[in-house]
Amino acid sequence: MSWFRRDGSDLILQVRVQPRASNNALAGVIGDCLKVRLTAPPVEGQANEHLIAYLAKLFGVPKNSVILERGDTSRQKQLRIRSPKKLPENLDWDI
């Protein structure tokens, strides 16, 4: 299984979150997940909200176009990005 796949015009991402990091960053692909470092703590959904806002900015879409499909309380998450306008350049997108 890959860390991403297409579903029509949507992009499905498998993400592993590292909360309470020193900065927000894409840390690369580890196994079958994209590792994302976030400054937000994993308290009361703050990290999930921060992740959605961060990915929306990276992919050039509004926040409501990033949907958390699985992993609400886990570090491993599946997210859907509806019709991404751009792709982060520092990753290998074999699309």
Coordinates of all heavy atoms in Angstrom, one line a residue:
M1 N 0.8 -1.2 0.0 CA 0.0 0.0 0.0 C 0.9 1.2 0.0 O 1.9 1.3 0.7 CB -0.9 0.0 1.2 CG -1.8 1.2 1.3 SD -2.9 0.9 2.8 CE -4.0 2.2 2.4
S2 N 0.5 2.2 -0.8 CA 1.3 3.4 -0.9 C 0.7 4.5 0.1 O -0.4 4.3 0.6 CB 1.1 4.0 -2.3 OG 1.8 5.2 -2.5
W3 N 1.5 5.5 0.3 CA 1.1 6.5 1.3 C 0.0 7.5 0.7 O -0.6 8.3 1.4 CB 2.3 7.3 1.8 CG 3.1 8.0 0.7 CD1 4.0 7.5 -0.1 CD2 2.9 9.4 0.3 NE1 4.5 8.4 -1.0 CE2 3.9 9.6 -0.7 CE3 2.1 10.4 0.7 CZ2 4.0 10.8 -1.4 CZ3 2.3 11.6 0.1 CH2 3.2 11.8 -1.0
F4 N -0.2 7.4 -0.6 CA -1.3 8.2 -1.3 C -1.9 7.4 -2.4 O -1.3 6.5 -2.9 CB -0.7 9.5 -1.8 CG 0.1 9.4 -3.0 CD1 -0.5 9.6 -4.3 CD2 1.4 9.1 -3.0 CE1 0.2 9.5 -5.4 CE2 2.2 9.0 -4.1 CZ 1.5 9.2 -5.4
R5 N -3.1 7.8 -2.8 CA -3.8 7.2 -4.0 C -4.8 8.3 -4.4 O -5.2 9.1 -3.7 CB -4.4 5.9 -3.7 CG -5.6 5.9 -2.7 CD -6.1 4.5 -2.5 NE -7.0 4.5 -1.4 CZ -8.3 4.8 -1.5 NH1 -8.9 5.2 -2.6 NH2 -9.1 4.7 -0.4
R6 N -5.1 8.1 -5.7 CA -6.2 9.0 -6.3 C -7.5 8.3 -6.2 O -7.6 7.1 -6.3 CB -5.9 9.2 -7.8 CG -4.8 10.2 -8.0 CD -5.3 11.6 -7.8 NE -4.3 12.6 -8.2 CZ -4.5 13.9 -8.1 NH1 -5.6 14.3 -7.6 NH2 -3.6 14.7 -8.5
D7 N -8.5 9.1 -6.0 CA -9.9 8.6 -6.0 C -10.7 9.7 -6.8 O -11.2 10.6 -6.3 CB -10.5 8.5 -4.6 CG -11.9 8.0 -4.6 OD1 -12.3 7.3 -5.6 OD2 -12.6 8.1 -3.5
G8 N -10.7 9.5 -8.1 CA -11.2 10.5 -9.0 C -10.3 11.7 -9.0 O -9.1 11.6 -9.1
S9 N -10.9 12.9 -8.7 CA -10.1 14.1 -8.6 C -9.5 14.3 -7.1 O -8.8 15.2 -6.9 CB -10.9 15.3 -9.0 OG -12.0 15.5 -8.1
D10 N -10.0 13.4 -6.2 CA -9.5 13.5 -4.8 C -8.2 12.8 -4.6 O -7.8 11.9 -5.4 CB -10.5 13.0 -3.9 CG -11.8 13.7 -3.9 OD1 -11.9 14.8 -4.5 OD2 -12.8 13.3 -3.2
L11 N -7.5 13.2 -3.6 CA -6.3 12.5 -3.2 C -6.5 12.0 -1.8 O -6.9 12.7 -0.9 CB -5.1 13.6 -3.2 CG -3.7 13.1 -3.0 CD1 -3.3 12.2 -4.1 CD2 -2.8 14.3 -2.9
I12 N -6.2 10.7 -1.6 CA -6.3 10.1 -0.3 C -4.9 9.9 0.3 O -4.0 9.3 -0.4 CB -6.9 8.7 -0.4 CG1 -8.2 8.7 -1.1 CG2 -7.1 8.1 1.0 CD1 -9.3 9.5 -0.5
L13 N -4.6 10.4 1.5 CA -3.3 10.4 2.1 C -3.3 9.5 3.4 O -4.3 9.6 4.2 CB -2.8 11.8 2.5 CG -2.6 12.8 1.5 CD1 -2.2 14.2 2.1 CD2 -1.6 12.4 0.5
Q14 N -2.3 8.7 3.6 CA -2.0 8.0 4.8 C -1.0 8.8 5.5 O 0.1 9.0 5.0 CB -1.5 6.6 4.5 CG -2.5 5.8 3.7 CD -3.8 5.6 4.2 OE1 -4.0 5.4 5.4 NE2 -4.8 5.7 3.4
V15 N -1.3 9.3 6.7 CA -0.4 10.2 7.4 C -0.1 9.7 8.8 O -1.0 9.1 9.5 CB -1.1 11.6 7.5 CG1 -0.4 12.6 8.4 CG2 -1.4 12.2 6.1
R16 N 1.1 10.0 9.2 CA 1.5 9.7 10.6 C 1.9 11.1 11.2 O 2.8 11.7 10.7 CB 2.7 8.8 10.7 CG 3.1 8.5 12.2 CD 3.7 7.2 12.3 NE 4.2 7.0 13.7 CZ 3.5 6.5 14.7 NH1 2.2 6.1 14.5 NH2 4.0 6.4 15.9
V17 N 1.2 11.5 12.3 CA 1.4 12.8 12.9 C 2.4 12.7 14.1 O 2.2 11.8 14.9 CB 0.0 13.4 13.3 CG1 0.2 14.7 14.0 CG2 -0.9 13.5 12.1
Q18 N 3.2 13.7 14.1 CA 4.1 13.9 15.3 C 3.7 15.2 15.9 O 4.1 16.3 15.4 CB 5.6 13.9 14.9 CG 6.5 14.2 16.1 CD 7.9 14.4 15.7 OE1 8.4 14.0 14.6 NE2 8.6 15.1 16.5
P19 N 2.9 15.2 17.0 CA 2.5 16.5 17.6 C 3.6 17.0 18.5 O 4.6 16.4 18.8 CB 1.3 16.0 18.5 CG 1.5 14.6 18.7 CD 2.3 14.0 17.6
R20 N 3.4 18.3 18.9 CA 4.3 19.0 19.7 C 5.8 19.1 19.1 O 6.7 19.0 19.9 CB 4.4 18.4 21.1 CG 3.2 18.7 21.9 CD 3.4 18.3 23.4 NE 2.2 18.7 24.2 CZ 1.5 17.8 24.8 NH1 1.8 16.5 24.8 NH2 0.4 18.2 25.5
A21 N 5.9 19.2 17.8 CA 7.2 19.4 17.2 C 7.6 20.8 17.3 O 6.8 21.7 17.6 CB 7.1 18.9 15.7
S22 N 8.8 21.1 17.0 CA 9.3 22.5 17.0 C 8.8 23.3 15.9 O 8.8 24.6 16.0 CB 10.9 22.5 17.1 OG 11.4 21.9 15.9
N23 N 8.4 22.7 14.8 CA 7.9 23.5 13.6 C 7.0 22.5 12.8 O 7.0 21.3 13.0 CB 9.0 24.1 12.8 CG 9.9 23.0 12.2 OD1 9.9 21.9 12.6 ND2 10.6 23.4 11.2
N24 N 6.1 23.1 12.0 CA 5.3 22.4 11.1 C 6.1 22.0 9.9 O 6.7 22.9 9.3 CB 4.1 23.2 10.7 CG 3.2 23.6 11.8 OD1 3.0 22.8 12.7 ND2 2.6 24.8 11.8
A25 N 6.1 20.7 9.5 CA 6.9 20.3 8.4 C 6.4 18.9 7.9 O 5.9 18.1 8.7 CB 8.3 20.2 8.7
L26 N 6.6 18.7 6.6 CA 6.5 17.4 6.1 C 7.9 16.7 6.3 O 8.9 17.2 5.8 CB 6.2 17.4 4.6 CG 4.8 18.1 4.2 CD1 4.6 18.1 2.7 CD2 3.7 17.4 4.9
A27 N 7.9 15.6 7.0 CA 9.1 14.9 7.3 C 9.5 13.8 6.4 O 10.4 13.1 6.6 CB 9.1 14.4 8.8
G28 N 8.7 13.7 5.3 CA 9.0 12.6 4.3 C 8.1 11.4 4.5 O 7.3 11.3 5.4
V29 N 8.4 10.4 3.6 CA 7.6 9.2 3.6 C 8.4 8.1 4.4 O 9.5 7.9 4.2 CB 7.4 8.7 2.2 CG1 6.6 7.4 2.2 CG2 6.6 9.8 1.4
I30 N 7.6 7.5 5.4 CA 8.2 6.5 6.2 C 7.3 5.3 6.1 O 6.1 5.3 6.5 CB 8.3 6.9 7.7 CG1 9.3 8.1 7.8 CG2 8.8 5.8 8.6 CD1 9.4 8.8 9.1
G31 N 7.8 4.2 5.4 CA 6.9 3.1 5.2 C 5.8 3.5 4.2 O 6.0 3.9 3.1
D32 N 4.6 3.3 4.7 CA 3.4 3.6 3.9 C 2.7 4.8 4.4 O 1.5 4.9 4.1 CB 2.5 2.4 3.8 CG 1.9 1.9 5.1 OD1 2.4 2.4 6.1 OD2 1.1 1.0 5.1
C33 N 3.4 5.7 5.1 CA 2.7 6.9 5.6 C 3.6 8.1 5.3 O 4.8 8.1 5.3 CB 2.6 6.8 7.1 SG 1.3 5.6 7.6
L34 N 2.9 9.3 5.2 CA 3.6 10.5 5.1 C 3.7 11.1 6.5 O 2.7 11.2 7.2 CB 2.8 11.5 4.2 CG 3.3 13.0 4.2 CD1 4.7 13.1 3.6 CD2 2.3 13.8 3.4
K35 N 4.9 11.3 7.0 CA 5.1 11.8 8.3 C 5.0 13.4 8.3 O 5.6 14.1 7.5 CB 6.5 11.5 8.9 CG 6.6 11.9 10.4 CD 7.9 11.3 11.0 CE 8.0 11.7 12.4 NZ 9.2 11.3 13.0
V36 N 4.1 13.9 9.2 CA 3.8 15.3 9.3 C 4.1 15.7 10.7 O 3.6 15.2 11.7 CB 2.4 15.7 8.9 CG1 2.1 17.2 9.0 CG2 2.0 15.2 7.5
R37 N 5.0 16.7 10.9 CA 5.3 17.3 12.2 C 4.4 18.5 12.4 O 4.3 19.4 11.5 CB 6.8 17.7 12.3 CG 7.7 16.5 12.3 CD 9.2 17.0 12.5 NE 10.0 15.8 12.5 CZ 11.1 15.6 11.7 NH1 11.4 16.6 10.9 NH2 11.8 14.5 11.8
L38 N 3.8 18.6 13.6 CA 2.9 19.7 13.9 C 3.3 20.3 15.3 O 3.7 19.6 16.2 CB 1.5 19.2 14.0 CG 0.9 18.7 12.7 CD1 -0.5 18.1 13.0 CD2 0.8 19.8 11.6
T39 N 3.2 21.6 15.4 CA 3.5 22.2 16.7 C 2.3 22.1 17.7 O 2.5 22.2 18.9 CB 3.7 23.8 16.5 OG1 2.6 24.3 15.8 CG2 5.0 24.0 15.6
A40 N 1.1 21.8 17.2 CA 0.0 21.6 18.1 C 0.1 20.4 19.0 O 0.6 19.4 18.6 CB -1.3 21.6 17.3
P41 N -0.5 20.5 20.2 CA -0.5 19.3 21.1 C -1.7 18.4 20.7 O -2.7 18.9 20.1 CB -0.7 19.9 22.5 CG -1.5 21.2 22.2 CD -1.0 21.7 20.9
P42 N -1.6 17.1 21.1 CA -2.7 16.2 20.8 C -3.8 16.3 21.8 O -4.2 15.3 22.5 CB -2.0 14.9 20.8 CG -0.9 15.0 21.8 CD -0.5 16.4 21.7
V43 N -4.4 17.5 22.1 CA -5.4 17.7 23.1 C -6.6 18.2 22.5 O -6.6 19.2 21.8 CB -4.8 18.7 24.2 CG1 -5.8 18.9 25.2 CG2 -3.5 18.1 24.8
E44 N -7.8 17.6 22.8 CA -9.1 18.1 22.4 C -9.2 18.4 20.9 O -9.8 19.4 20.5 CB -9.5 19.3 23.2 CG -9.6 19.0 24.7 CD -9.9 20.2 25.6 OE1 -10.1 21.3 25.0 OE2 -10.0 20.0 26.8
G45 N -8.5 17.6 20.1 CA -8.6 17.8 18.6 C -7.8 18.9 18.1 O -7.9 19.2 16.9
Q46 N -6.9 19.5 18.9 CA -6.1 20.7 18.4 C -5.2 20.2 17.3 O -5.0 20.9 16.3 CB -5.3 21.3 19.5 CG -6.2 22.1 20.5 CD -5.3 22.7 21.6 OE1 -4.2 23.1 21.3 NE2 -5.8 22.7 22.8
A47 N -4.6 19.1 17.4 CA -3.6 18.6 16.4 C -4.4 18.3 15.1 O -3.9 18.6 14.0 CB -2.9 17.4 16.9
N48 N -5.6 17.7 15.2 CA -6.4 17.4 14.0 C -6.7 18.7 13.2 O -6.6 18.8 12.0 CB -7.6 16.6 14.3 CG -7.3 15.2 14.7 OD1 -6.3 14.7 14.4 ND2 -8.2 14.6 15.4
E49 N -7.2 19.7 14.0 CA -7.5 21.0 13.4 C -6.3 21.6 12.7 O -6.4 22.2 11.6 CB -8.1 21.9 14.4 CG -9.5 21.5 14.9 CD -9.9 22.3 16.1 OE1 -9.4 23.4 16.3 OE2 -10.9 21.9 16.8
H50 N -5.2 21.6 13.4 CA -3.9 22.1 12.9 C -3.5 21.4 11.6 O -3.0 22.0 10.7 CB -2.9 22.0 14.0 CG -1.7 23.0 13.8 ND1 -1.7 24.3 14.2 CD2 -0.5 22.8 13.2 CE1 -0.6 24.8 13.9 NE2 0.2 23.9 13.3
L51 N -3.6 20.0 11.7 CA -3.2 19.2 10.5 C -4.1 19.6 9.3 O -3.6 19.8 8.2 CB -3.4 17.7 10.8 CG -3.2 16.8 9.7 CD1 -1.7 16.8 9.2 CD2 -3.6 15.3 10.1
I52 N -5.4 19.7 9.5 CA -6.3 20.1 8.4 C -5.9 21.4 7.8 O -5.8 21.6 6.6 CB -7.8 20.0 8.8 CG1 -8.1 18.5 9.0 CG2 -8.7 20.7 7.9 CD1 -9.5 18.3 9.7
A53 N -5.7 22.4 8.7 CA -5.3 23.8 8.2 C -4.0 23.7 7.5 O -3.8 24.4 6.4 CB -5.2 24.7 9.4
Y54 N -3.0 23.0 8.0 CA -1.7 22.9 7.4 C -1.7 22.2 6.0 O -1.2 22.7 5.0 CB -0.7 22.1 8.3 CG 0.7 22.0 7.8 CD1 1.5 23.1 7.6 CD2 1.2 20.8 7.6 CE1 2.8 23.0 7.1 CE2 2.5 20.6 7.1 CZ 3.3 21.8 6.9 OH 4.6 21.6 6.4
L55 N -2.5 21.1 5.9 CA -2.6 20.4 4.6 C -3.4 21.3 3.6 O -3.0 21.3 2.4 CB -3.2 19.1 4.8 CG -2.4 18.0 5.5 CD1 -3.1 16.7 5.7 CD2 -1.0 17.8 4.8
A56 N -4.4 22.0 4.1 CA -5.2 22.8 3.2 C -4.2 23.9 2.5 O -4.3 24.1 1.3 CB -6.3 23.5 3.9
K57 N -3.4 24.5 3.3 CA -2.4 25.5 2.8 C -1.5 24.8 1.8 O -1.2 25.4 0.7 CB -1.7 26.1 4.0 CG -0.7 27.1 3.6 CD 0.0 27.7 4.8 CE 1.1 28.7 4.4 NZ 1.9 29.1 5.5
L58 N -0.9 23.7 2.1 CA 0.1 23.0 1.3 C -0.5 22.6 -0.1 O 0.1 22.7 -1.1 CB 0.6 21.8 1.9 CG 1.6 22.0 3.1 CD1 2.0 20.6 3.6 CD2 2.8 22.7 2.6
F59 N -1.8 22.2 -0.1 CA -2.4 21.7 -1.3 C -3.3 22.7 -2.0 O -3.9 22.5 -3.0 CB -3.3 20.4 -1.0 CG -2.4 19.2 -0.7 CD1 -2.0 18.9 0.6 CD2 -2.0 18.4 -1.7 CE1 -1.2 17.8 0.8 CE2 -1.2 17.3 -1.5 CZ -0.8 17.0 -0.2
G60 N -3.3 24.0 -1.5 CA -4.0 25.1 -2.1 C -5.5 24.9 -2.1 O -6.2 25.3 -3.1
V61 N -6.1 24.4 -1.1 CA -7.6 24.2 -1.0 C -8.1 24.8 0.3 O -7.3 25.0 1.2 CB -7.9 22.7 -1.1 CG1 -7.5 22.1 -2.4 CG2 -7.4 21.9 0.1
P62 N -9.4 25.1 0.3 CA -10.0 25.6 1.6 C -10.0 24.4 2.6 O -9.9 23.2 2.3 CB -11.4 26.0 1.2 CG -11.7 25.4 -0.1 CD -10.4 25.1 -0.7
K63 N -10.0 24.8 3.9 CA -10.0 23.8 5.0 C -11.1 22.8 4.9 O -10.9 21.6 5.2 CB -10.0 24.5 6.4 CG -8.7 25.1 6.7 CD -8.7 25.6 8.2 CE -9.4 26.9 8.3 NZ -9.2 27.5 9.6
N64 N -12.3 23.2 4.4 CA -13.4 22.2 4.3 C -13.2 21.2 3.2 O -14.0 20.3 3.0 CB -14.7 23.0 4.2 CG -14.9 23.7 2.9 OD1 -14.0 23.8 2.1 ND2 -16.1 24.4 2.7
S65 N -12.1 21.4 2.4 CA -11.8 20.4 1.3 C -10.8 19.3 1.8 O -10.4 18.4 1.1 CB -11.2 21.1 0.1 OG -12.2 21.8 -0.5
V66 N -10.4 19.4 3.1 CA -9.6 18.4 3.7 C -10.4 17.6 4.8 O -10.9 18.3 5.7 CB -8.3 19.0 4.4 CG1 -7.5 17.9 5.0 CG2 -7.5 19.8 3.3
I67 N -10.6 16.4 4.5 CA -11.5 15.6 5.4 C -10.7 14.5 6.1 O -10.1 13.7 5.4 CB -12.7 15.0 4.6 CG1 -13.5 16.1 4.0 CG2 -13.5 14.0 5.4 CD1 -13.4 16.1 2.5
L68 N -10.9 14.5 7.4 CA -10.3 13.4 8.2 C -11.2 12.2 8.1 O -12.3 12.2 8.7 CB -10.1 13.9 9.6 CG -9.5 12.9 10.6 CD1 -8.1 12.4 10.2 CD2 -9.4 13.5 12.0
E69 N -10.8 11.1 7.4 CA -11.7 10.0 7.2 C -11.5 8.9 8.3 O -12.4 8.3 8.7 CB -11.4 9.3 5.9 CG -11.9 10.2 4.7 CD -11.8 9.5 3.4 OE1 -10.9 8.7 3.2 OE2 -12.6 9.9 2.5
R70 N -10.3 8.7 8.8 CA -10.0 7.7 9.8 C -8.8 8.2 10.7 O -8.0 9.0 10.3 CB -9.5 6.4 9.2 CG -10.6 5.6 8.8 CD -10.1 4.2 8.4 NE -9.7 4.3 7.0 CZ -9.1 3.4 6.4 NH1 -8.7 2.3 7.0 NH2 -8.7 3.5 5.1
G71 N -8.9 7.8 12.0 CA -7.8 8.1 12.9 C -7.9 9.3 13.7 O -7.0 10.0 14.1
D72 N -9.2 9.7 14.1 CA -9.4 10.9 14.9 C -8.6 11.0 16.1 O -8.1 12.0 16.5 CB -10.9 10.9 15.2 CG -11.3 12.2 15.8 OD1 -10.9 13.3 15.4 OD2 -12.1 12.2 16.8
T73 N -8.4 9.9 16.8 CA -7.7 9.9 18.1 C -6.3 9.1 18.0 O -5.7 8.9 19.0 CB -8.5 9.2 19.2 OG1 -8.8 7.9 18.9 CG2 -9.8 10.0 19.5
S74 N -5.9 8.8 16.8 CA -4.7 8.1 16.6 C -3.7 9.0 15.9 O -4.0 10.0 15.3 CB -5.0 6.9 15.7 OG -3.8 6.2 15.2
R75 N -2.4 8.6 16.0 CA -1.4 9.3 15.2 C -1.4 8.9 13.8 O -0.9 9.7 12.9 CB 0.0 9.0 15.8 CG 0.3 9.6 17.1 CD 1.6 9.3 17.6 NE 1.8 9.9 19.0 CZ 2.9 10.5 19.4 NH1 3.9 10.7 18.6 NH2 2.9 11.0 20.6
Q76 N -1.9 7.7 13.4 CA -2.1 7.3 12.0 C -3.4 7.7 11.6 O -4.4 7.4 12.2 CB -1.9 5.8 11.9 CG -0.5 5.4 12.4 CD 0.2 4.5 11.4 OE1 1.3 4.7 11.2 NE2 -0.5 3.6 10.7
K77 N -3.5 8.5 10.4 CA -4.7 9.0 10.0 C -4.9 8.8 8.5 O -3.9 8.7 7.8 CB -4.8 10.5 10.2 CG -4.7 10.8 11.7 CD -4.6 12.3 12.0 CE -4.4 12.5 13.5 NZ -5.4 12.0 14.4
Q78 N -6.1 8.8 8.0 CA -6.4 8.8 6.6 C -7.1 10.1 6.3 O -8.1 10.4 6.9 CB -7.2 7.6 6.1 CG -7.5 7.7 4.7 CD -8.2 6.4 4.2 OE1 -7.7 5.3 4.3 NE2 -9.4 6.5 3.7
L79 N -6.6 10.9 5.3 CA -7.3 12.2 5.0 C -7.6 12.2 3.5 O -6.8 11.6 2.7 CB -6.4 13.3 5.3 CG -6.2 13.5 6.8 CD1 -4.8 13.1 7.2 CD2 -6.5 14.9 7.2
R80 N -8.7 12.8 3.1 CA -9.1 13.0 1.8 C -8.9 14.5 1.5 O -9.4 15.4 2.2 CB -10.5 12.6 1.5 CG -11.1 12.9 0.2 CD -12.5 12.5 0.0 NE -12.6 11.0 0.2 CZ -12.6 10.2 -0.8 NH1 -12.5 10.6 -2.1 NH2 -12.7 8.9 -0.6
I81 N -8.3 14.8 0.4 CA -8.1 16.2 -0.1 C -8.9 16.3 -1.4 O -8.6 15.6 -2.4 CB -6.6 16.6 -0.3 CG1 -5.9 16.4 1.1 CG2 -6.5 18.0 -0.8 CD1 -4.5 16.6 1.1
R82 N -9.9 17.1 -1.4 CA -10.8 17.2 -2.5 C -10.1 18.2 -3.6 O -9.8 19.3 -3.3 CB -12.2 17.8 -2.1 CG -13.0 16.9 -1.4 CD -14.4 17.4 -1.2 NE -15.2 16.5 -0.4 CZ -16.1 16.9 0.5 NH1 -16.3 18.2 0.7 NH2 -16.8 16.1 1.2
S83 N -9.9 17.6 -4.8 CA -9.4 18.4 -5.9 C -8.2 19.3 -5.5 O -8.4 20.5 -5.6 CB -10.5 19.2 -6.6 OG -11.6 18.4 -6.9
P84 N -7.1 18.7 -5.1 CA -6.0 19.6 -4.8 C -5.5 20.5 -5.9 O -5.5 20.0 -7.1 CB -4.9 18.6 -4.4 CG -5.3 17.3 -4.9 CD -6.8 17.3 -5.1
K85 N -5.2 21.7 -5.6 CA -4.8 22.7 -6.6 C -3.3 22.6 -6.9 O -2.8 23.0 -8.0 CB -5.1 24.1 -6.2 CG -6.6 24.3 -5.8 CD -7.5 24.1 -7.0 CE -8.9 24.4 -6.7 NZ -9.8 23.3 -6.9
K86 N -2.5 22.1 -5.9 CA -1.1 22.0 -6.1 C -0.6 20.8 -5.2 O -1.3 20.4 -4.3 CB -0.4 23.3 -5.7 CG -0.6 23.7 -4.3 CD 0.1 25.1 -4.0 CE -0.1 25.5 -2.6 NZ 0.6 26.7 -2.3
L87 N 0.6 20.3 -5.5 CA 1.2 19.3 -4.7 C 2.5 19.8 -4.1 O 3.3 20.4 -4.8 CB 1.5 18.1 -5.6 CG 0.3 17.4 -6.3 CD1 0.7 16.3 -7.2 CD2 -0.7 16.9 -5.2
P88 N 2.8 19.5 -2.8 CA 4.1 19.9 -2.2 C 5.2 19.3 -3.1 O 5.2 18.2 -3.5 CB 4.0 19.3 -0.8 CG 2.6 19.1 -0.5 CD 1.9 18.8 -1.9
E89 N 6.2 20.2 -3.3 CA 7.3 19.8 -4.3 C 8.3 18.9 -3.7 O 9.0 18.2 -4.4 CB 8.0 21.1 -4.7 CG 7.1 22.0 -5.6 CD 7.8 23.2 -6.0 OE1 9.0 23.3 -5.9 OE2 7.1 24.1 -6.5
N90 N 8.5 18.8 -2.4 CA 9.6 18.0 -1.8 C 9.2 16.6 -1.6 O 9.9 15.8 -0.9 CB 10.0 18.6 -0.5 CG 8.9 18.8 0.5 OD1 7.7 18.8 0.1 ND2 9.2 18.9 1.8
L91 N 8.1 16.1 -2.3 CA 7.7 14.7 -2.2 C 7.7 14.0 -3.5 O 7.6 14.7 -4.5 CB 6.3 14.6 -1.5 CG 6.2 15.1 -0.1 CD1 4.8 15.1 0.3 CD2 7.0 14.2 0.9
D92 N 7.9 12.7 -3.6 CA 7.8 12.0 -4.8 C 6.4 11.6 -5.2 O 5.8 10.7 -4.7 CB 8.7 10.7 -4.7 CG 8.8 10.0 -6.0 OD1 8.6 10.6 -7.1 OD2 9.0 8.8 -6.0
W93 N 5.8 12.4 -6.1 CA 4.5 12.2 -6.6 C 4.5 11.4 -7.9 O 4.6 12.0 -8.9 CB 3.7 13.5 -6.8 CG 3.6 14.3 -5.5 CD1 4.3 15.3 -5.1 CD2 2.6 14.1 -4.5 NE1 3.9 15.8 -3.9 CE2 2.9 15.1 -3.5 CE3 1.6 13.2 -4.3 CZ2 2.1 15.1 -2.3 CZ3 0.8 13.3 -3.2 CH2 1.1 14.3 -2.2
D94 N 4.4 10.1 -7.8 CA 4.4 9.3 -9.0 C 2.9 9.1 -9.4 O 2.4 8.0 -9.3 CB 5.0 8.0 -8.7 CG 6.0 7.6 -9.7 OD1 6.3 8.3 -10.6 OD2 6.6 6.5 -9.6
I95 N 2.3 10.2 -9.9 CA 0.9 10.1 -10.2 C 0.7 10.0 -11.7 O 1.3 10.7 -12.5 CB 0.1 11.4 -9.7 CG1 0.2 11.4 -8.2 CG2 -1.3 11.4 -10.2 CD1 -0.5 12.6 -7.6

